[in-house]
Amino acid sequence: MQSHDRPSPPDYGIMFNHDGTFHGKSEYPQRIDELLDKLYGPLQDTQVGAFMWCVGAEQARWPSDDLESIFDPRDRPYGSVKEFRRAENVRAMYERGEDLYGDIVRRGHDLGMDVYVAIRMNDNHFWSDSARKAFPLAPEEMAKTVRPELTQFRKDHPELVLGIGNAPRWAVTSWNMTLPEVREYALLRIREACMLADWDGVEIDWQRHAFHLPTSDAYRLRYALTDLMRAIRRLADEIARERGRPFHILTRVGASEETNRRIGYDVGTWIDEGLTDILATNSNSGNDPGVEVERYVEMMEGTNIKLYPGFDSHGEFGRGHLVEQSRWREGWVRGLAKSYYDRGASGVHLFNWHNYAAELNSLLTTIGSPDTLTGVDTIYTPVKRHIRGKDEIRYGAERDDRLLGEVPVPLYRTLTGDGPTFPTRVHDDVSEGTSVELQINLDHYSPNDAVSVKLDGGLLGEPTLHRTSGEGHLSEDAWLVWKLDAMQVGRGVHEVQIVLDRRDSRLGVPIVVENVELHISHN
């Protein structure tokens, strides 16, 4: 059955992924109504149309004859109170005879939401346990290590993980999906999770964490991930036939075609064969705003598959800018959401927003529809790429994220008097009353330096200079700000070019362009 033969999934507006950690947000024993209120309270009267509940990273959070489960006493005593709460609160609900997952689905349905079970395909959070100050494991170290979600099955089979040299150091204990035993194990876990309740579908989260195949061979071995996707499609179709109504597949992949190729996602084949109903995008770590919406829309033409570009909760989310953090975050997210809708997306996917849902209500009530994004303040920026230092525990997490990031970039003198250009999309209709500012953040900028800035080829005049301060001293940052005529920055792509005219010869570090931002405020 091809994708165009299956019913199209509803238009959800916002799809909201919850990582399942709220079992640890209440003291033992947690009541089911207490959990449900925590999950859904902040989502009521918002534009959330679908809720995805993660049923655990690796251990089954349900009684199982074939999978290692939190009902197995092997991991006790617990290494922290947090671990105790997360496991024992679930156990207590089952011991009281409560229908945990059924109640999660029913509460969502009562609020008008579809509810999906979310499965992380290769979660590797046991790379570190903050309670023990642990560090990444080598495969041979797993057998003698006790950490949350590090199962006995993985300990007993180090030959089934990627191994040193086939992934970043912290991810070498990720499952090697090339091996059929690993795919069989993954499918078993997905099947059991799908049978826990009357879910509306399943979220297959390949992006947490996105290391599944040996690095040097991932593209050539992509057929292994496609094999598992075909098996998942057969399972979903089987469930749909038995129920007499659709059982949708949401698949979370990378933001760009090149990212997907590097990791081993053959998304074109998945679309052509109808192996998914919804594609959600994001990075392995943080946000990836560089979603190639037009390319996805082109690949999905003629199918019923829908696109939901994603937002994560951290990364480039408003710290260190001229405006207050929450205001910056709202403007940036709204600008991206406008961009996604204008370019053909069906809605947006939110990951890891559960801890902040109440404070993000203004976004949850606007970004689910282009209609509610009209006339709101927005911020538009190029893609920013963050790479961790080699001394950080998760070095390499961003390996395949934000590949087309345009900032930060060092600013050097050129032979032709040109400089880097930053194309910036604007999706607002401006008028005479619209306030527009260009804000450029330069690191290591001294009073004896000089830069020229052009907007769409036109040289801008002298900016207002802002210095940030902290702990009693000036920072290395400088913000150059121009108030623009609203009619200079209408809907479309605008090019900002920055040219180094003079650098203080006493300084041995380059100026670095950290941020380029267009702020649009509708008065």
Side-chain angles (χ1 to χ4, degrees), residues 351-407:
F351 187 86
N352 267 348
W353 279 33
H354 46 273
N355 286 321
Y356 319 97
E359 65 185 78
L360 297 177
N361 180 267
S362 63
L363 290 172
L364 295 177
T365 53
T366 53
I367 63 173
S369 168
D371 296 336
T372 47
L373 286 167
T374 301
V376 299
D377 295 349
T378 48
I379 298 172
Y380 296 99
T381 72
V383 175
K384 186 168 188 175
R385 191 166 199 224
H386 168 71
I387 300 295
R388 298 169 198 264
K390 291 185 178 181
D391 58 337
E392 294 187 55
I393 190 171
R394 292 184 67 198
Y395 174 68
E398 298 91 357
R399 184 191 68 183
D400 301 309
D401 300 340
R402 297 169 290 276
L403 295 178
L404 300 182
E406 295 173 298
V407 292

Side-chain angles (χ1 to χ4, degrees), residues 254-269:
S256 72
E257 195 166 26
E258 179 60 24
T259 290
N260 292 333
R261 276 197 289 256
R262 289 187 182 201
I263 299 172
Y265 307 149
D266 192 357
V267 174
T269 295

Side-chain angles (χ1 to χ4, degrees), residues 185-222:
Y185 172 74
L187 185 62
L188 173 62
R189 186 163 159 263
I190 293 168
R191 178 179 289 276
E192 287 201 10
C194 288
M195 301 305 174
L196 291 172
D198 192 22
W199 313 100
D200 297 289
V202 59
E203 178 183 85
I204 303 300
D205 186 356
W206 287 108
Q207 285 294 93
R208 192 64 95 237
H209 294 106
F211 304 100
H212 313 290
L213 304 169
T215 300
S216 61
D217 299 312
Y219 178 72
R220 292 185 292 279
L221 292 169
R222 65 195 184 280

